[in-house]
Amino acid sequence: MAEEIQNARAFTLHNDGTFVARIQLKWTNNDSGKTGEYEESGYHDICKYAERTVNLSETDIPLGSTVYLHAYVVLGKGKDAKECFKYTTDGKTADYTISGTTLINKLKFNGLK
């Protein structure tokens, strides 16, 4: 039996690594079949020991889409999250931590909060 997709309304990324990271979100709208990527405009770097949250309601991602996190590492290798979530207004925040160095890093799912 396939695991049920959990609901989320936001994504948080904590940076415990020795690099600068950014949140990128990749999504698929299950009704239309459209796909896309979202990254905040302007300054949105996450420096060492900092965190940032993206509320999906403040993006152009359609409600009901399946969304997952890509932790972009400036001048390094990013990581795709293994988990994906359905964007709903009553969902929780998907909480992640990235750690390591620019070339060897680890993305950990901390749960829904």
Side-chain angles (χ1 to χ4, degrees), residues 5-18:
I5 294 178
Q6 297 183 45
N7 297 335
R9 63 175 169 71
F11 285 79
T12 295
L13 181 61
H14 308 270
N15 183 2
D16 287 346
T18 58

Side-chain angles (χ1 to χ4, degrees), residues 32-96:
S32 68
K34 290 184 180 179
T35 62
E37 295 181 9
Y38 173 82
E39 185 173 338
E40 287 181 293
S41 61
Y43 181 81
H44 56 279
D45 289 350
I46 309 168
C47 298
K48 186 175 182 176
Y49 301 129
E51 68 180 51
R52 186 174 295 274
T53 299
V54 173
N55 292 309
L56 297 176
S57 64
E58 298 171 0
T59 71
D60 59 356
I61 299 172
L63 194 63
S65 296
T66 301
V67 183
Y68 73 92
L69 171 77
H70 173 78
Y72 176 83
V73 174
V74 176
L75 300 175
K77 292 185 177 185
K79 291 285 186 190
D80 285 331
K82 296 176 184 172
E83 305 79 18
C84 61
F85 301 91
K86 182 178 179 182
Y87 167 29
T88 62
T89 56
D90 63 345
K92 295 184 177 183
T93 300
D95 189 69
Y96 286 89

